[in-house]
Amino acid sequence: MWALKAAIVFVAAIFLAAGAFLLFAWRSEIPEDATAGEASFAPELVARGAQLAAVGNCIACHTVPGKPAFSGGLAVPTPFGTIYSTNITPDRDTGIGGWSEAAFERAMREGVDRAGNHLYPAFPYDHFTRVTAQDNRALYAFLMTRAAVKAEAPENELPFPLEFRPLLAGWKLLFLRQGEVEPEAARSEEWNRGRYLVEGLGHCGACHTPRNAFGAEDRDRHFGGGEAEGWQAYAINPDSKAPIPWDEQSLAFYLRNGWHEFHGVSRGPMAEVTGNLSLLPDRDIAAIATYVVSVMGDPTPERAQRAAELREQFEADRLEQTADSQSSVALASGGKAGETLYLAACANCHQGARRQPFGGLNFELSTAVNAPNPQNIVNVVLFGLPPADGEASAVMPAFRHILSDQQLADLLAYMRESFSDEPAWSGLVEQVANTRSGAYKVTIRPSDGIERAPHNVGAEEE
Ligand code: HEC
Ligand code: HEC
Ligand code: HEC
């Protein structure tokens, strides 16, 4: 009898808790706006929205290569499963054609769709929540003036119980800090503008900050290095491994052009970021650089000293080598495993006279060789840098049909030892094998990112 009573109380408590949670997770539907798709917007507002959409990289996640811009359906891989981006063109049935501005703003601020469903944080609303109402209006105007496309996103592939969206209310309670942030009065207007763009629409931390077991960014390791689509997004805080530390000029140049002579070409998902940022006015790029460099802080005296030496060496080397386009490197002694491969297959480009971005970076300048994880080198060597369609781009051959797992592992070990003071990497053969077999999924695209998504349909169109 006692046991039965206890069981009833227990079950009732569970139901009550579940009910309370569902009530807590519940969000209202915002009624369809019958005229949203036909509204007209000032051309200046739409043009500003185009720039903001470029900062937010909306097109990269919301477009399948070769399909119409913003029509969604791209698989966004997460450690928990695959989430498909949605159609954000103004189509009434399959897109956001029926969404009022309020519904759009709620999605950006709270990660809730028009019908009241919680959205997965694969849509980086933990950053977009910082966007001002004014900028959301411009984004809304931009999206609502794109061509409407009928396209339905595939079902997400998530294990039980993660497909149950109300659970996301719990995630948000723990990890989402909603709303705009106040400017810091002690900092310059430029710095504050940079922080707004970087921490908000730019969502740099979505890739560059490591995540915890729940897939939320670890705030204590802000910009400490993360992962995106099978690529390492290097640390861009005081832990940065760039041999010549980034400064405002080099960072602004890299973000604008997608390469820098002391840092090489932006690859993988970063290629898309820099491709999109090229739409921004100089002052916004400069603001982003100012803020990010302030997060990196001043390099230690040893690092600054080493950087000065490298600068001097590479300025001088260039002058010397312009007379002779062939590299003049030779086997040092007997040839360690990896050394011969390096000299035969890589040195001609990577220690040659061709300048960035079309020549290969000297690995003494390479963040990749100094990074804790060599994944980006494995990706680049196996799959190469494919040429971008119809544009001059940095090209590198793919070596997957030439080098065995063991050979590439030897080459990596040699490069680490020769071009960096960091400790040796471990598990290289396995890492190469898993990348080659596709067990470890890597997204490859040309260095300027135009394969994956059509060029941002920008302000010039209006
Ligand atoms: C990193 C990838 C990524 C980026 C960048 C991104 N989105 Fe998304 N977005 C998604 C995914 C994935 C979903 C679907 C989430 C879900 O189903 O819960 C989504 C959903 C949405 C939705 C909800 C649509 C609906 O029908 O429910 C809107 C609105 C949206 N995104 C707008 C934007 C805008 C505007 C930008 C640029 C400022 C942007 N997104 C950038 C991945 C992204
Ligand atoms: C979609 C993921 C993603 C986003 C968003 C992103 N990055 Fe990156 N970033 C990467 C990856 C991956 C790399 C490594 C690229 C490579 O190997 O060339 C990278 C490289 C970089 C580097 C070069 C670091 C070095 O030492 O070589 C800088 C600087 C950088 N990102 C800054 C930014 C800034 C600033 C933003 C926001 C405006 C940003 N990133 C947004 C993925 C991302
Ligand atoms: C035909 C010329 C060519 C050859 C041969 C070549 N590369 Fe490259 N590589 C390039 C170019 C161009 C880039 C893009 C510019 C840059 O970022 O260095 C590049 C980029 C890279 C990068 C990214 C740069 C960095 O360090 O962050 C790595 C790693 C790399 N190559 C490794 C190799 C290795 C290892 C070999 C030999 C197996 C090799 N490459 C052979 C031309 C070449």
Side-chain angles (χ1 to χ4, degrees):
M1 200 54 202
W2 181 88
L4 183 64
K5 254 192 198 156
I8 290 172
V9 170
F10 181 68
V11 169
I14 287 184
F15 271 96
L16 258 177
F21 178 77
L22 284 179
L23 199 66
F24 160 75
W26 185 81
R27 296 289 180 282
S28 63
E29 171 168 353
I30 296 180
E32 262 202 50
D33 180 342
T35 55
E38 287 104 62
S40 65
F41 300 93
E44 308 82 64
L45 189 67
V46 175
R48 209 154 55 76
Q51 285 185 353
L52 295 167
V55 182
N57 217 9
C58 320
I59 197 167
C61 279
H62 281 278
T63 310
V64 174
K67 296 277 173 64
F70 302 112
S71 63
L74 186 81
V76 179
T78 75
F80 308 99
T82 303
I83 301 180
Y84 289 89
S85 66
T86 47
N87 179 348
I88 52 170
T89 72
D91 181 58
R92 268 201 164 274
D93 305 321
T94 59
I96 59 168
W99 290 39
S100 60
E101 189 185 322
F104 176 75
E105 178 156 79
R106 183 173 72 169
M108 295 287 281
R109 287 262 160 109
E110 300 176 34
V112 172
D113 75 4
R114 190 189 63 74
N117 301 304
H118 289 284
L119 294 165
Y120 292 100
F123 168 37
Y125 52 78
D126 49 338
H127 292 275
F128 293 168
T129 186
R130 309 268 173 260
V131 176
T132 61
Q134 204 186 9
D135 282 355
N136 275 328
R137 175 162 309 142
L139 279 165
Y140 177 74
F142 172 68
L143 289 175
M144 290 314 242
T145 48
R146 298 308 90 198
V149 180
K150 219 169 251 335
E152 202 103 47
E155 289 287 319
N156 295 332
E157 292 148 25
L158 291 166
F160 175 83
L162 297 181
E163 74 275 43
F164 187 60
R165 289 182 181 265
L167 288 179
L168 290 164
W171 188 92
K172 290 178 182 177
L173 185 66
L174 292 173
F175 303 116
L176 178 64
R177 286 189 202 150
Q178 225 167 281
E180 296 168 35
V181 282
E182 287 293 310
E184 277 186 27
R187 301 279 198 163
S188 68
E189 200 178 307
E190 186 184 48
W191 184 93
N192 277 300
R193 171 81 181 150
R195 181 178 66 156
Y196 170 72
L197 291 171
V198 163
E199 303 294 353
L201 268 179
H203 67 281
C204 315
C207 298
H208 285 279
T209 299
R211 291 177 185 269
N212 65 21
F214 298 97
E217 286 171 34
D218 182 346
R219 292 197 185 96
D220 296 334
R221 292 189 289 158
H222 183 233
F223 288 172
E227 233 184 77
E229 298 172 42
W231 294 78
Q232 293 286 307
Y234 305 126
I236 50 171
N237 65 3
D239 294 336
S240 163
K241 294 283 184 203
I244 295 186
W246 292 93
D247 58 23
E248 276 139 24
Q249 287 73 33
S250 59
L251 185 55
F253 186 95
Y254 173 86
L255 294 174
R256 152 95 46 239
N257 300 294
W259 63 277
H260 186 270
E261 60 175 331
F262 292 150
H263 300 278
V265 168
S266 67
R267 298 166 302 265
M270 191 62 198
E272 238 150 57
V273 174
T274 54
N276 265 329
L277 289 181
S278 65
L279 285 184
L280 286 196
D282 284 340
R283 61 170 192 288
D284 280 345
I285 298 275
I288 292 176
T290 298
Y291 171 72
V292 173
V293 167
S294 85
V295 174
M296 291 184 183
D298 288 332
T300 58
E302 303 82 70
R303 205 170 156 224
Q305 168 67 29
R306 175 79 189 120
E309 288 162 18
L310 284 171
R311 265 173 199 277
E312 201 169 304
Q313 178 186 343
F314 286 100
E315 299 289 348
D317 266 15
R318 259 212 320 274
L319 296 176
E320 208 173 279
Q321 285 179 355
T322 38
D324 174 12
S325 70
Q326 295 295 306
S327 90
S328 50
V329 284
L331 212 56
S333 61
K336 293 188 186 101
E339 184 179 16
T340 321
L341 286 171
Y342 172 76
L343 292 173
C346 322
N348 225 4
C349 291
H350 283 276
Q351 276 180 267
R354 220 161 167 213
R355 297 188 57 169
Q356 294 284 323
F358 304 119
L361 185 70
N362 187 299
F363 293 121
E364 289 198 49
L365 298 173
S366 164
T367 303
V369 176
N370 287 285
N373 181 328
Q375 187 62 45
N376 293 7
I377 312 186
V378 178
N379 297 348
V380 173
V381 175
L382 285 180
F383 305 111
L385 295 172
D389 230 6
E391 280 180 41
S393 62
V395 176
M396 179 176 135
F399 287 89
R400 67 179 172 288
H401 301 304
I402 299 170
L403 297 177
S404 69
D405 296 346
Q406 184 64 53
Q407 283 174 320
L408 182 44
D410 289 344
L411 177 60
L412 289 168
Y414 168 77
M415 288 167 66
R416 180 75 157 181
E417 196 186 325
S418 310
F419 302 114
S420 144
D421 295 330
E422 300 284 331
W425 290 306
S426 59
L428 288 173
V429 178
E430 201 187 356
Q431 185 170 2
V432 174
N434 285 339
T435 310
R436 190 196 299 271
S437 71
Y440 187 64
K441 290 207 179 357
V442 176
T443 311
I444 303 294
R445 57 178 82 82
S447 51
D448 69 356
I450 61 173
E451 180 190 67
R452 184 167 183 204
H455 262 310
N456 209 321
V457 262
E460 65 279 3
E461 201 185 61
E462 249 56 37

